Amino acid sequence: MLAPPRPDPSLPQLRVNLYSDTQTRPSRAMREAMLDAEVGDEQHGDDPTVHELCDRMAELLGKPAAMFLPSGTMCNEIAILTHCRPGDEILAHHTAHIATSEGGAPWALAGVQVNGLPGARGQFDVETLRAALRPHSRYAPPQTLVEVEQTANFGGGAIWPGTALRAVAEFAHAHGMATHMDGARLMNAAVAAGCPASEMTEGYDSVWLDFTKGLGAPLGAVLAGSSAFIDAAWRWKQRLGGALRQAGICAAACLYALDNNIERLAEDHENARILARGLAQLPGITVETPDTNLVFFDSEGAGITSSELSARLRRRGVQISEIGGYRSRACLHLDVSREDVDTALACFRTAIKEGE
Ligand SMILES: *Cc1c(COP(=O)(O)O)cnc(C)c1O
């Protein structure tokens, strides 16, 4: 089935949702900010709240211009459509969201292929890029874009160090390729590394931030780049139906998130470390040490597959994300408190013992 299933009424109510930071609910205060938003026709350039958000995001991301879009997926695809021509090739990690989780959109919508690069923790280096270069010839697909994820989601929420990011960008530009950063969780990286986001985006021609992950907004993402890039991206925003009307009501939630939900990401990182330490003490569980708010772990030692573990936990009111095989992900976010982490760990303990 392709459509997402409705909640199963036979399951107990969820107590701790570690499935994803996408499942954060807009708080009362965020909803009140939305209520009072000044709005206008966004695709006509008349929404003052969207302008305010884009101006602040351009500054935060260190780029001259920005554009408000409904989702991060649309940011990635509009960036790809704007940078590339049909037949082109993108170089990205083989686990990149654009390659694994967007329904094949680079191929389907932009007519480009993603060359999936190897590398630990969702990252790759200049030597890997060099090895993937194709000759300049009529036989080879033109390689026009290098894409990185900060943080690397399937890499374990790993933070790319600034030096590695800059080396990749310099190499890409030296070989005539543009650079794009999927910054879905860029603020997690910036807060955890204690480094301004605009430093991490140096050398990237386009970058976006998601407001629906740890920042807790109901929808919205902002794509930034040069004025010429954002200008060209507007045609794709219009074509894909991403040009909006009174979008300020949603931009107001994003502004609220910028003011209130960034510094607190450090709490999610702390909770991730506590959860990781607790999981590592359970029999048969191997944990990848988290850099940010994502905790990846393996239950092969306990002989329990990811889907079985997730089902056992769900019956106890805890939801995690199955990655496949024995690998699972638990995600910390603003709707998971320190106490919830303890509750979840207690459920993990009994879930692992179940059936013994
Ligand atoms: C969630 C996510 C996206 C997609 O963002 P949506 O707003 O859900 O469309 C893209 N890239 C990464 C790394 C993500 O985690």
Side-chain angles (χ1 to χ4, degrees):
M1 198 166 82
L2 294 179
R6 304 229 175 154
D8 178 349
S10 71
L11 288 170
Q13 215 190 327
L14 215 51
R15 294 158 73 200
V16 188
N17 189 342
L18 300 173
Y19 180 77
S20 175
D21 43 12
T22 54
Q23 304 214 346
T24 49
R25 304 283 163 89
S27 65
R28 180 87 216 166
M30 180 179 274
R31 289 172 198 239
E32 276 165 12
M34 297 174 78
L35 200 59
D36 295 330
E38 251 190 273
V39 295
D41 187 344
E42 190 254 4
Q43 68 172 253
H44 212 254
D46 291 335
D47 194 300
T49 310
V50 171
H51 287 318
E52 187 186 342
L53 176 66
C54 289
D55 290 350
R56 281 187 63 181
M57 287 306 293
E59 168 95 31
L60 182 78
L61 299 175
K63 304 295 165 198
M67 158 190 283
F68 185 58
L69 287 166
S71 72
T73 299
M74 203 183 275
C75 289
N76 271 338
E77 296 310 325
I78 286 182
I80 290 170
L81 284 157
T82 306
H83 285 301
C84 303
R85 308 284 304 153
D88 286 359
E89 180 173 277
I90 300 172
L91 296 172
H93 195 267
H94 72 96
T95 62
H97 200 276
I98 56 165
T100 61
S101 308
E102 300 186 7
W107 292 263
L109 302 183
V112 305
Q113 62 186 4
V114 181
N115 184 344
L117 305 177
R121 309 188 79 217
Q123 303 174 10
F124 49 86
D125 59 16
V126 166
E127 284 324 303
T128 304
L129 273 180
R130 193 188 306 282
L133 286 182
R134 297 181 189 273
H136 179 69
S137 109
R138 70 178 187 276
Y139 295 106
Q143 297 175 306
T144 49
L145 184 65
V146 172
E147 193 251 14
V148 299
E149 260 175 45
Q150 180 76 307
T151 62
N153 182 354
F154 294 112
I159 302 173
W160 281 77
T163 46
L165 283 175
R166 279 189 292 279
V168 162
E170 273 167 29
F171 182 88
H173 288 152
H175 290 82
M177 296 181 278
T179 49
H180 173 66
M181 179 183 286
D182 172 339
R185 295 188 180 83
L186 174 63
M187 294 320 297
N188 289 89
V191 167
C195 164
S198 58
E199 264 177 43
M200 291 183 163
T201 64
E202 260 173 42
Y204 286 79
D205 300 310
S206 52
V207 55
W208 62 272
L209 173 71
D210 216 335
F211 283 93
T212 65
K213 300 272 162 83
L215 298 186
L219 65 85
V222 172
L223 174 65
S226 69
S227 302
F229 171 84
I230 292 298
D231 196 55
W234 264 93
R235 173 161 285 129
W236 285 110
K237 175 170 158 82
Q238 191 68 41
R239 282 179 175 162
L240 296 179
L244 305 168
R245 299 301 183 184
Q246 287 70 37
I249 203 156
C250 299
C254 303
L255 285 165
Y256 178 90
L258 285 182
D259 290 331
N260 297 282
N261 291 350
I262 290 187
E263 292 312 317
R264 65 149 308 287
L265 291 171
E267 293 171 34
D268 301 338
H269 303 159
E270 175 64 12
N271 284 337
R273 285 190 289 270
I274 294 168
L275 181 71
R277 277 199 295 271
L279 289 176
Q281 285 163 12
L282 299 178
I285 305 289
T286 313
V287 186
E288 300 170 32
T289 305
D291 276 359
T292 53
N293 68 322
L294 306 178
V295 182
F296 283 74
F297 56 94
D298 185 292
S299 48
E300 188 163 15
I304 309 169
T305 62
S306 168
S307 69
E308 174 58 22
L309 181 60
S310 135
R312 290 185 192 180
L313 286 165
R314 185 62 193 83
R315 290 196 290 273
R316 291 165 170 82
V318 174
Q319 191 161 26
I320 58 165
S321 171
E322 297 166 27
I323 302 299
Y326 292 95
R327 194 167 184 236
S328 307
R329 187 186 84 172
C331 178
L332 284 299
H333 52 76
L334 85 174
D335 290 343
V336 179
S337 66
R338 173 71 183 75
E339 293 71 48
D340 291 336
V341 172
D342 291 337
T343 307
L345 280 170
C347 294
F348 268 96
R349 240 169 258 127
T350 61
I352 288 166
K353 284 204 195 109
E354 188 181 307
E356 266 181 7

